[in-house]
Amino acid sequence: MTTPAETETEGMQALTRGEAANALELLSSAADGYRREGDQAGLLSVLGNLAFLHRQRGDLEQALVRVAEALGLPVPPAEVPMALVNCAAVLDAVGDARAKGVWMLAAQGFVGKKPLMQVVCLAHAIGADIARDAPQGLTAARALLAQVTPGAPPSLVAGYVAAIGESAGAGALHFFAQALWVASVDAGAFTATTVDAWAALLDLLGAEHPLVLPLCALALGVVMTRQGERDFAAVAAGVRAAFDRQATTRGLDAAAFAALVQQHVASLDALPASLAALVPEPRWVLPRPAPQERS
């Protein structure tokens, strides 16, 4: 007889293969099994995965049903930190005030295990505060970044600022712009993590914004020079998907859009200053904005 854990594993494998409907059926079956066995940690884990899957499919109503059940289970955060991450992301998506608290629980769950994920969750918690216009949000963002970024590689710095933006609701653009400011100064910061912030920034700016094509030129340069690196496939896939959207918006095919982007390579020198100009001074949270980029 198949155990709930085995069924959950099958469901996650189906999800990895892109078989969303099959994954949903298997994970739901695993959840039923965990309920029957009274395995609350197992149930919370699979509910987090189901919440992620429903959110990915655009069904926020069902995602919230899974989150509500998950958050009602008395399981220590250390046993289910990734499930809490999935739940918090759903709460972010609907602007639920509980998002900050769940991000904080997730951060607690990563203590002593994955310090980088702990910081990412703290950044998300700050973003959730900013989304609700909490007066301490920007101060907390600066304090966190001042603490964790000295000596950190630019890729991590960009990732932390992007995490704030992902949870910042209507204020996301200013933080995505700062994450891409880091990447425009050091292209090594354009990673599989940053590419989502880059694509979101393009969408927020809109196709007619003068920075869209220079941002695309930045991404094109990264793809052309990073082949063979560990995260190349994820970066290339993210760039390709965004390029396809941009080309469609302009009524161009892929080759014509790539040619258009190449015409803007010369604008890369001005990109850091242009990105910095998108961010009002009070919302700049990076600890070391270069003066020449802030003018």
Side-chain angles (χ1 to χ4, degrees):
M1 181 177 178
T2 304
T3 67
E6 291 169 340
T7 304
E8 181 181 9
T9 298
E10 290 180 29
M12 294 305 294
Q13 290 171 343
L15 183 58
T16 301
R17 294 191 300 267
E19 301 169 2
N22 188 29
L24 187 60
E25 182 177 349
L26 288 165
L27 292 175
S28 297
S29 178
D32 291 339
Y34 284 129
R35 288 189 193 94
R36 287 193 299 269
E37 292 184 357
D39 183 345
Q40 293 181 325
L43 177 57
L44 201 156
S45 177
V46 79
L47 287 171
N49 289 328
L50 281 166
F52 167 84
L53 181 52
H54 283 301
R55 180 172 70 94
Q56 190 179 57
R57 289 162 62 88
D59 190 349
L60 289 176
E61 183 176 349
Q62 276 302 310
L64 282 170
V65 169
R66 305 298 185 172
V67 168
E69 182 179 2
L71 296 183
L73 297 171
V75 180
E79 295 185 26
V80 288
M82 279 308 303
L84 293 172
V85 166
N86 287 331
C87 290
V90 171
L91 297 176
D92 270 347
V94 297
D96 192 298
R98 294 172 294 172
K100 176 187 177 180
V102 180
W103 281 119
M104 294 296 289
L105 286 174
Q108 180 184 336
F110 285 117
V111 171
K113 298 176 181 178
K114 295 183 177 181
L116 296 182
M117 278 300 298
Q118 179 187 355
V119 175
V120 167
C121 290
L122 291 173
H124 276 288
I126 290 169
D129 245 359
I130 291 170
R132 300 184 64 77
D133 295 321
Q136 75 276 12
L138 293 170
T139 300
R142 294 188 189 97
L144 178 69
L145 292 168
Q147 179 180 354
V148 302
T149 59
S155 58
L156 284 183
V157 177
Y160 295 148
V161 182
I164 294 173
E166 287 170 3
S167 294
L173 186 149
H174 297 147
F175 302 99
F176 291 153
Q178 290 179 72
L180 269 299
W181 177 84
V182 176
S184 69
V185 173
D186 186 331
F190 198 113
T191 65
T193 299
T194 321
V195 71
D196 290 339
W198 166 82
L201 181 59
L202 295 183
D203 291 340
L204 288 169
L205 291 174
E208 299 303 317
H209 195 283
L211 282 187
V212 166
L213 291 173
L215 281 166
C216 288
L218 172 67
L220 182 62
V222 168
V223 170
M224 293 177 66
T225 58
R226 298 262 287 277
Q227 295 187 37
E229 294 190 12
R230 180 176 54 85
D231 66 347
F232 173 75
V235 171
V239 170
R240 189 182 308 113
F243 273 29
D244 287 346
R245 291 196 299 274
Q246 291 291 324
T248 299
T249 298
R250 292 170 170 79
L252 301 175
D253 61 25
F257 181 70
L260 178 61
V261 169
Q262 289 174 347
Q263 296 172 19
H264 289 76
V265 170
S267 65
L268 289 177
D269 287 344
L271 186 56
S274 298
L275 285 167
L278 290 176
V279 186
E281 189 64 36
R283 297 184 74 82
W284 187 270
V285 295
L286 287 167
R288 49 182 189 276
Q292 68 270 25
E293 314 295 3
R294 298 292 292 141
S295 60

